[in-house]
Amino acid sequence: MSTAINGGRGSMMGGASGGTPPAGAGALLPSAEPVQLVGPDGQHVHDDRYPLPDGEQLLRAYGCLVAGRRINDQANALVRQGRMAVYPSSHGQEACQVAAALVLGDEDWLFPTYRDTVAVITKGVDPLQVLTLLRGDWHGGYDPHEHRVATQATPLATQLLHAVGVAHAAKLRGESTVVLAMCGDGATSEGDFHEALNFAAVFHVPVVFFIQNNEFAISVPLKNQTVAPSLAHKAIGYGMPGERVDGNDLAALLAVLGAAVNRARDGGGPSLIEAHTYRMQAHTNADDATRYRSADDVERWVPRDPILRMRTYLRALTLLGDVGERAFADEADAIATAIRKGLNTEVEVNPAELFEYVYTEKTTQLREQAQQLREELARDAAADAASVDSASDDVEHQGKGDQR
Amino acid sequence: MTQTTEAPAARLTHQPEAVAAPPARATATFAKALNAALADTMAADPGVLMFGEDVGRLGGVFRITDGLTARFGEERCFDTPLAEAGIMGMAVGMAMNGMKPVVEMQFDAFAYPAFEQIVSHVAKMPNRTKGAVRLPIVIRIPYAGGIGGVEHHCDSSEAYYAHTPGLTVLAPATVRDAYFMLREAIAFPDPVVFLEPKKLYWSKEEVDLAELRRTFEDGQAPRRIGRAVVARPGTDATLISYGPSVPTALAAAAAAEEEGRSIEVIDLRSIVPFDDETVCASVRRTGRAVVVAEAPGFASVASEIVARVQERCFHSLAAPVLRVTGFDIPYPSPKLEHFYLPSVGRILDAVDNLQWED
C-alpha cells in the first residue's frame, strides 16, 4: 500500500532519482506527425496504433459536431445583439470540444476553460446554465457535481491542478474516475501547467491533459510561447507519454483521447495530448484578429474544417444521408432556439445573493452590509414609487385620452 | 497502511512509582498541541489529509506533522513536489472531490507562489458556484518573526489574506487555542488560513492534551472562529492584539500595572471573521485603545481595527486609537529585528500617549 502514492514505480522515498532512466523512455515521445485517421478529403488514413472508431460512434459524434457549430454561431449572434457580454468561440475547434466530452463516462470529470462551452454542453450541462457566466448573471451557472464538469476556468492553467486533485482523491478512495483537463497552447507557458503535469506524474493519477493548440494566445503565435519541438514533447520531461493528433479530425481525436482515458482508467497514469487545430475566429468578439494575422492565414484552414471532412467520410460510407443530415440539423436548431429563447428572457438578478455564498455562514460584517444594501434599495424603490406617482399625476393633468 | 499504536497512558504506567510529590501537571508546547490536533483529527476523520513540503518522513521543519506518516500512512500524510501553487491547486481538487486537505506552506513568504490559487479559486469557488462547491481546506502557515530568521522566513502576511473575501483567517496565541482552533478550522466548511506564530511554537502551558481532545470531541469547546477573548481584564485602556503580539501585549499590561494602570488585553484569535462586539465592548468600557501587531502598519489589519473601533466607539473614546506595529519596511535581518518588532517599551509609550488627564 505504501507504493500507491507513487504509482508503484518506486517507494515513496525512492522515486525516480534512485534508478536509471527506464528502458524505452523514447516511447514517451509523440509521433512525428499528428495522428490522423480521416484526412481533409474525407478519406480514411490507416494507422497501426489507432483503429478507426466504429461508424455508429462516429455518426453520433458528428451530430454533436453539427450542434457544436450551431451553438458557436448562435452565441456569436447573441453577443452582437447585446444579449451576452462576450463569447470566446471555438469555431473550427468543435471536433476537439466534442471528442473531449464523448470519451468520458458519467463518473469522469471534465475541467474546461472559458473557450470550451461546447465541450461542457456536450458533457450534458444545460446550455443556458453554461451561458450564465457570459450573460453576466453570475460567475458560474451550473453545479459542477451534477455532470462532473468543473466551472470554466478563466485564469490560465489553474484548473489543471484541480483536475489532479480530483483524480488524486478518486484514486485514494479506489474509484475508477478519470479526469480530462483542457487548456490552450498559451496556457502551457504558465507555471501551473508545469506543476500540474509534474504532480500528476509523481502521484501517478488518472488525468488526461488535453491541449488545444489553436496557434494563438489572443494575438501571440505559438513560436513566442515555446521553441519545444511540439507541446506534446513536453510530456517526456514529466515522465508521461505525449501524443499529437489532428485537432480537426474527429475520428482521430476520439481514438487518441479514448486510448488515453482507457490507459488512465487502467492505472497507466497521466498523459498529454496535443491537438493541432486553429481558432477560426477572433479571441472573443471584443478582439480584432486582423491586427495579427491575415485573411489568407485563416483561409488556409477552411478546407481542413472538422465538420466538412467527417460529413464527406460518413456520406461516402452511406452512414449519413439527406434524412440523417436533416435530423442533425433539426436537433442543432432546437438547441439554438432554446438558447435564443432563454437568453432573450430577462432574468432578474438578486442583489441579496451577493452576500449569500461568500461563506457558508454569513459573517457579522456581511450581515451588516447586506442590510445596508437592502435599506439602500428600499429607499430607492420608495423614491421611484414617489416619482412614478408624481409622473402619473402629471400625465393625468395633461389629458386623459392620450395614453391609450 | 502502517499503524503504530499510540498509547501514552500505557507508557505512563511504566513510570517509577516513587514520586511522592503530587503528580506534576501535564504541560505541552504550542507545536505539540498543533501536532496532537492534527493526529486527533486524522484519527477521527478518514477524509482529512495532510500534505506539503517535508511534512512526511521529516515531520515538517517545525515538526508539526511529526509521526503522522508513520501513524496514518503515506496516503494521508505525504510530501509533495516542491511547488506551492501545485500543493494549493491539488488541495482544491481534493476538496472538490470529498476530502478535507490540510496543507502546510513551509514559511509565510514561501506561500506566495500559491497566491493565485488562494485568491482566485480557494477564496472564490464557493461563491462562483453558489455554494455547490465548498472547500474545507486548511492552509497552515508558520508565520511572523522574532526567531532570528533570514529573509523570506519572517513575513507577517495576514493582511493579504484578510483582504480577500471568502477566506477565514485565524491566528492562535496560546497552546490551548492552538489545539482547539486547528481542530475547529479543519471541521469548518470554508477555507481557513491558519497562521501559526513561529516564535510561539516552543511556548509551553499546563495543559493535558488528552483532556483537550475529550473536551473538543464531546462538543464542549466553545467556538473560537469569529470570537475574540479578553486575555487579561483591565479598566483603563485596551490593547488589541493577535497571534505573535499577544504575549508582548500581556507583558506590557503587566508592566503597566506596576505603574498603576489597569490595561485590558484582547486576543482576537480570529482576524476574519472579526469580532467587533468583544473589541468594541472593551473599548467602550475603557475609553482608550492601542492596536498591537507585528506586520507593517500601512494598509494593515491594525489599520482596519483602528478604523472599525473609531467608527463604532467614537463617543466612548477619550483619545485617538493608536497603533504599535512593524515599520513599513521589509522584515529586517536577525541582528536588526528587535528594532522592528513591537516591544513592551513601545506599547507603554503608546499607552502613555492616550491623553490621560492625571
Side-chain angles (χ1 to χ4, degrees):
Chain A
M1 202 123 165
S2 67
T3 55
I5 283 286
N6 224 9
R9 289 185 178 195
S11 77
M12 184 75 180
M13 304 303 169
S17 62
T20 50
L28 301 178
L29 286 170
S31 47
E33 291 298 321
V35 175
Q36 193 179 67
L37 295 181
V38 174
D41 56 359
Q43 297 296 310
H44 175 216
V45 181
H46 181 79
D47 190 305
D48 282 338
R49 299 158 301 168
Y50 297 100
L52 192 67
D54 68 54
E56 198 54 41
Q57 191 190 353
L58 288 177
L59 195 62
R60 203 170 58 245
Y62 175 76
C64 297
L65 207 54
V66 171
R69 174 65 52 86
R70 193 77 179 78
I71 291 164
N72 277 328
D73 290 346
Q74 182 61 68
N76 280 329
L78 286 163
V79 175
R80 283 195 300 272
Q81 294 156 18
R83 305 305 305 187
M84 284 202 306
V86 69
Y87 182 72
S89 172
S90 61
H91 189 111
Q93 302 173 219
E94 290 94 343
C96 295
Q97 297 286 304
V98 164
L102 292 182
V103 294
L104 298 177
D106 289 344
E107 74 278 27
D108 299 328
W109 274 86
L110 178 72
F111 277 76
T113 75
Y114 53 82
R115 198 178 300 287
D116 301 321
T117 300
V118 170
V120 174
I121 294 171
T122 309
K123 182 116 180 6
V125 181
D126 182 305
L128 287 176
Q129 291 184 359
V130 183
L131 294 173
T132 297
L133 165 72
L134 301 169
R135 175 159 68 174
D137 304 346
W138 200 260
H139 300 312
Y142 54 92
D143 176 352
H145 291 289
E146 194 181 341
H147 294 281
R148 298 207 159 186
V149 179
T151 54
Q152 287 178 275
T154 311
L156 299 187
T158 52
Q159 77 283 5
L160 305 180
L161 282 160
H162 307 166
V164 173
V166 165
H168 197 161
K171 181 182 169 183
L172 289 176
R173 283 201 300 266
E175 296 164 358
S176 64
T177 306
V178 172
V179 184
L180 190 146
M182 304 173 81
C183 72
D185 44 299
T188 63
S189 299
E190 293 280 1
D192 280 14
F193 173 84
H194 159 68
E195 295 188 24
L197 268 72
N198 193 42
F199 272 56
V202 168
F203 294 115
H204 202 69
V205 295
V207 180
V208 176
F209 296 99
F210 179 41
I211 306 169
Q212 291 170 84
N213 170 8
N214 66 14
E215 300 207 354
F216 286 93
I218 304 189
S219 67
V220 179
L222 184 64
K223 67 178 167 56
N224 292 31
Q225 301 290 346
T226 181
V227 294
S230 80
L231 295 173
H233 276 81
K234 294 186 177 220
I236 193 172
Y238 303 103
M240 71 173 74
E243 186 60 285
R244 307 170 70 194
V245 57
D246 180 338
N248 289 12
D249 177 356
L250 182 60
L253 284 157
L254 289 168
V256 170
L257 288 172
V261 166
N262 290 340
R263 182 176 179 280
R265 202 180 314 281
D266 294 344
S271 55
L272 174 65
I273 313 295
E274 174 192 6
H276 196 202
T277 182
Y278 197 77
R279 198 190 72 212
M280 296 299 283
Q281 297 175 340
H283 165 63
T284 68
N285 317 63
D287 174 38
D288 175 8
T290 63
R291 293 176 71 99
Y292 52 83
R293 65 185 190 189
S294 71
D296 287 350
D297 292 339
V298 181
E299 204 57 36
R300 270 194 287 279
W301 279 83
V302 171
R304 293 189 240 178
D305 185 80
I307 298 183
L308 191 64
R309 83 171 72 174
M310 195 43 54
R311 179 171 178 266
T312 309
Y313 174 78
L314 291 170
R315 283 193 80 101
L317 289 186
T318 68
L319 285 163
L320 181 68
D322 291 344
V323 175
E325 286 224 60
R326 192 62 252 156
F328 285 141
D330 287 347
E331 277 174 40
D333 280 345
I335 297 171
T337 304
I339 291 174
R340 204 166 50 242
K341 274 192 181 154
L343 286 170
N344 282 329
T345 309
E346 202 53 56
V347 175
E348 285 283 316
V349 291
N350 177 6
E353 278 196 309
L354 290 171
F355 306 95
E356 215 47 52
Y357 310 105
V358 185
Y359 297 98
T360 302
E361 183 190 327
K362 275 201 278 298
T363 61
T364 313
Q365 290 73 27
L366 288 188
R367 279 201 301 273
E368 288 171 5
Q369 290 163 28
Q371 176 65 19
Q372 182 195 332
L373 182 59
R374 242 191 330 270
E375 286 168 5
E376 226 173 87
L377 295 172
R379 264 200 315 276
D380 290 353
D384 284 352
S387 74
V388 167
D389 283 351
S390 70
S392 59
D393 287 349
D394 291 346
V395 170
E396 282 179 19
H397 287 302
Q398 282 165 15
K400 288 173 183 171
D402 298 340
Q403 289 176 75
R404 306 282 154 96
Chain B
M1 193 180 299
T2 47
Q3 292 240 5
T4 57
T5 38
E6 196 187 55
R11 250 179 265 134
L12 283 176
T13 60
H14 296 295
Q15 296 288 321
E17 285 167 19
V19 185
R25 295 293 304 271
T27 62
T29 61
F30 196 97
K32 182 62 196 167
L34 292 171
N35 177 256
L38 286 170
D40 292 347
T41 311
M42 290 175 79
D45 184 346
V48 176
L49 306 171
M50 174 72 234
F51 54 92
E53 294 156 5
D54 300 298
V55 301
R57 179 186 278 184
L58 182 67
V61 294
F62 292 104
R63 306 293 181 265
I64 308 301
T65 58
D66 192 28
L68 298 181
T69 301
R71 182 170 168 195
F72 298 104
E74 288 176 345
E75 291 83 2
R76 295 197 51 204
C77 178
F78 55 91
D79 291 321
T80 64
L82 226 162
E84 294 77 12
I87 293 168
M88 206 60 256
M90 186 168 75
V92 169
M94 287 180 140
M96 284 176 76
N97 201 2
M99 299 297 193
K100 290 181 189 163
V102 181
V103 301
E104 179 175 302
M105 295 286 140
Q106 196 160 68
F107 283 88
D108 31 60
F110 297 155
Y112 301 147
F115 200 64
E116 185 191 19
Q117 286 287 346
I118 294 174
V119 172
S120 293
H121 294 301
V122 174
K124 291 177 181 162
M125 185 87 76
N127 184 66
R128 182 181 303 145
T129 60
K130 293 195 173 181
V133 175
R134 292 288 177 196
L135 296 177
I137 298 170
V138 176
I139 309 166
R140 292 185 36 245
I141 307 180
Y143 125 104
I147 58 159
V150 293
E151 198 185 8
H152 314 298
H153 292 70
C154 294
D155 281 12
S156 285
S157 40
E158 64 268 32
Y160 304 131
Y161 306 113
H163 191 67
T164 303
L167 299 178
T168 293
V169 185
L170 308 180
T174 70
V175 173
R176 185 175 288 268
D177 280 350
Y179 181 89
F180 286 131
M181 286 170 67
L182 184 51
R183 293 214 62 178
E184 201 179 323
I186 300 171
F188 203 59
D190 299 326
V192 174
V193 176
F194 194 85
L195 302 168
E196 302 170 0
K198 287 187 287 279
K199 76 170 188 192
L200 301 183
Y201 273 148
W202 304 280
S203 65
K204 254 187 194 173
E205 273 170 44
E206 274 193 3
V207 293
D208 178 351
L209 293 173
E211 194 185 311
L212 297 192
R213 173 170 55 77
R214 284 191 296 275
T215 304
F216 184 84
E217 291 178 0
D218 291 346
Q220 299 301 310
R223 179 177 169 146
R224 283 165 164 77
I225 293 177
R227 307 273 200 282
V229 67
V230 176
R232 177 192 170 105
T235 55
D236 300 340
T238 303
L239 297 179
I240 305 159
S241 191
Y242 56 88
S245 300
V246 172
T248 317
L250 286 169
E257 188 176 31
E258 287 171 21
E259 297 172 8
R261 284 204 175 114
S262 167
I263 306 289
E264 181 147 302
V265 177
I266 301 284
D267 173 1
L268 289 182
R269 304 195 292 202
S270 175
I271 298 171
V272 181
F274 187 81
D275 184 354
D276 283 307
E277 196 184 328
T278 302
V279 169
C280 292
S282 172
V283 176
R284 287 192 191 109
R285 240 183 303 111
T286 62
R288 290 177 168 82
V290 177
V291 182
V292 185
E294 200 178 305
F298 189 84
S300 63
V301 169
S303 316
E304 174 63 24
I305 297 171
V306 172
R308 304 187 77 80
V309 168
Q310 305 215 125
E311 281 168 358
R312 286 164 176 74
C313 309
F314 184 75
H315 295 292
S316 308
L317 287 171
V321 180
L322 299 181
R323 283 177 292 169
V324 176
T325 66
F327 299 121
D328 297 328
I329 58 172
Y331 193 86
S333 52
K335 288 181 184 168
L336 293 161
E337 71 176 353
H338 65 283
F339 295 110
Y340 170 91
L341 290 167
S343 61
V344 168
R346 234 174 247 161
I347 297 170
L348 291 176
D349 286 348
V351 169
D352 281 345
N353 286 328
L354 291 173
Q355 303 189 6
W356 303 93
E357 279 144 25
D358 47 53

